[in-house]
Amino acid sequence: MDEILEKEELLTALRRELAKLEKLDRIILQMAMSGISEAAIGREVGLSPKGVNKRKHRLLEQLREQLKDYR
């Protein structure tokens, strides 16, 4: 039961942190998590593949840091 509550707390925290992101950042993460290539994401949002990569990695690191207490 405690494990379920912990997972629910983590999901709530993740949703809260994702809601704080800029729209562009949410789009990049959603597309990346859907398996879309960085090149395709870049074409869609107007960034280079390298720009998408850097932004995605910065966002993931930011989320890891903000959610570290839930591990």
Side-chain angles (χ1 to χ4, degrees):
M1 188 61 119
D2 287 340
E3 187 175 321
I4 292 171
L5 290 175
E6 288 174 12
K7 286 182 181 182
E8 287 178 10
E9 288 176 7
L10 173 59
L11 285 173
T12 299
L14 178 58
R15 287 184 185 111
R16 183 177 53 246
E17 294 303 325
L18 289 172
K20 292 179 186 177
L21 297 176
E22 294 178 30
K23 183 178 179 180
L24 175 62
D25 292 335
R26 282 194 305 275
I27 290 169
I28 289 171
L29 286 179
Q30 286 173 337
M31 292 177 80
M33 296 305 125
S34 295
I36 298 172
S37 72
E38 291 172 354
I41 295 170
R43 285 192 298 274
E44 185 70 26
V45 301
L47 294 172
S48 69
K50 187 170 186 167
V52 170
N53 180 280
K54 283 185 172 187
R55 197 158 183 150
K56 179 181 72 173
H57 284 283
R58 180 184 52 81
L59 289 166
L60 291 173
E61 184 58 38
Q62 178 183 334
L63 288 171
R64 275 189 210 99
E65 178 63 27
Q66 291 165 335
L67 299 173
K68 68 183 176 190
D69 294 335
Y70 294 93
R71 293 184 194 174

